């Protein structure tokens, strides 16, 4: 099928935007949620499954993941968007394919009972968890102007995910540099079992970085 001028314009814009995104986020040493989604999706071996959580992770994956073959991407949508996520990821892993789960801290904690019950029962799944201590998605929405924003929308938990993993019998590692994430995920897969790779994210800084990416794309176009 021949390509018309309209399609060529969109393809050129897509390439310019992708190049601007990569140049911007690859220059940062600090972890960024969009780069986490991009790098995890790109690095997983052929035949892997990637289970992605609701809220920001699925949006970041949609925005930053580059097209590729050989990766099965799955997601759930419950009444509140995060119901049963840990069990879903562990159930996918039981099928035998290498399984990685990308989810926020609230999603993991919302279903922490499954982690505690199942982590020592023979499953093999690596959870990559950008931890911004709450629901960062609301920082991008009009609710951020409300006086009760923290209590009703962000809902910071202040919990130590490492301690939760110890209680569950799951592996845990904290990653503070962007370049260290994929090696940490690969080591967790090699070790087998259930592991949580935690990436601390500053909520306010995350909003700023998203704005910088948007500005870079706008300038490129």
């Amino acid at each position: 099928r021949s390509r018309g001028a309209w399609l060529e314009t969109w393809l050129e814009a897509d390439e310019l935007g992708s190049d601007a995104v990569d140049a911007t986020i690859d220059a940062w040493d600090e972890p960024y949620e969009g780069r986490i989604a991009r790098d995890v999706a790109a690095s997983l071996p052929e035949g892997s499954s990637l289970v992605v959580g609701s809220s920001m992770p699925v949006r970041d994956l949609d925005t930053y993941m580059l097209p590729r073959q050989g990766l099965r991407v799955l997601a759930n949508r419950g009444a509140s968007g995060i119901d049963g996520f840990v069990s879903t990821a562990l159930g996918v892993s039981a099928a035998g394919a290498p399984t990685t789960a990308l989810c926020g801290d609230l999603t993991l904690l919302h279903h922490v009972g499954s982690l505690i019950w199942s982590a020592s029962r023979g499953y093999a799944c690596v959870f990559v968890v950008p931890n911004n201590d709450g629901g960062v998605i609301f920082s991008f929405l009009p609710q951020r102007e409300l006086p009760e924003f923290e209590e009703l929308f962000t809902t910071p938990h202040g919990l130590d995910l490492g301690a939760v993993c110890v209680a569950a019998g799951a592996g845990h590692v904290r990653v503070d540099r962007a370049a260290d994430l994929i090696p940490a995920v690969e080591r967790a897969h090699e070790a087998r079992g259930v592991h949580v790779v935690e990436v601390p994210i500053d909520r306010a800084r995350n909003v700023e970085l998203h704005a910088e990416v948007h500005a870079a794309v706008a300038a490129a176009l």
Side-chain angles (χ1 to χ4, degrees):
R1 183 176 178 179
S2 62
R3 292 183 175 181
W6 183 86
L7 177 57
E8 289 293 346
T9 299
W10 275 102
L11 291 173
E12 180 183 354
D14 181 69
E15 185 174 354
L16 289 171
S18 295
D19 289 345
V21 168
D22 290 341
T24 302
I25 66 180
D26 286 340
W28 297 333
D29 186 54
E30 62 187 306
Y32 169 62
E33 291 185 349
R35 180 174 176 179
I36 293 170
R38 184 201 67 177
D39 291 356
V40 168
S43 67
L44 297 178
E46 192 95 359
S48 295
S49 294
L50 175 60
V51 188
V52 59
S54 299
S55 196
M56 287 306 295
V58 72
R59 289 169 172 81
D60 286 331
L61 196 71
D62 180 56
T63 303
Y64 293 91
M65 178 182 172
L66 299 176
R68 60 162 293 182
Q69 299 293 324
L71 177 66
R72 186 170 68 144
V73 180
L74 304 103
N76 245 343
R77 185 72 183 173
S80 65
I82 59 178
D83 295 325
F85 179 81
V86 175
S87 286
T88 297
L90 295 175
V92 170
S93 74
T99 302
T100 305
L102 174 64
C103 69
D105 47 299
L106 288 184
T107 296
L108 184 77
L109 293 170
H110 183 72
H111 204 213
V112 72
S114 179
L115 185 71
I116 292 172
W117 179 259
S118 304
S120 300
R121 294 177 182 268
Y123 295 97
C125 183
V126 176
F127 291 82
V128 179
V129 183
N131 181 5
N132 48 53
D133 192 31
V136 76
I137 190 171
F138 296 107
S139 299
F140 296 95
L141 300 174
Q143 290 98 318
R144 67 181 179 273
E145 305 299 334
L146 296 174
E148 62 271 27
F149 174 66
E150 284 287 306
E151 293 80 5
L152 297 186
F153 292 95
T154 304
T155 59
H157 52 80
L159 295 175
D160 181 348
L161 296 191
V164 171
C165 290
V166 169
H172 172 267
V173 64
R174 170 177 164 142
V175 173
D176 294 296
R177 296 178 63 252
D180 295 336
L181 173 62
I182 299 309
V185 173
E186 291 173 346
R187 287 193 297 270
H189 275 295
E190 290 169 1
R192 303 290 294 168
V194 176
H195 297 262
V196 172
V197 178
E198 177 188 359
V199 189
I201 299 289
D202 180 89
R203 206 181 312 139
R205 180 65 175 149
N206 183 62
V207 174
E208 294 173 358
L209 294 179
H210 271 79
E212 287 187 35
V213 173
H214 295 169
V217 172
L221 298 178

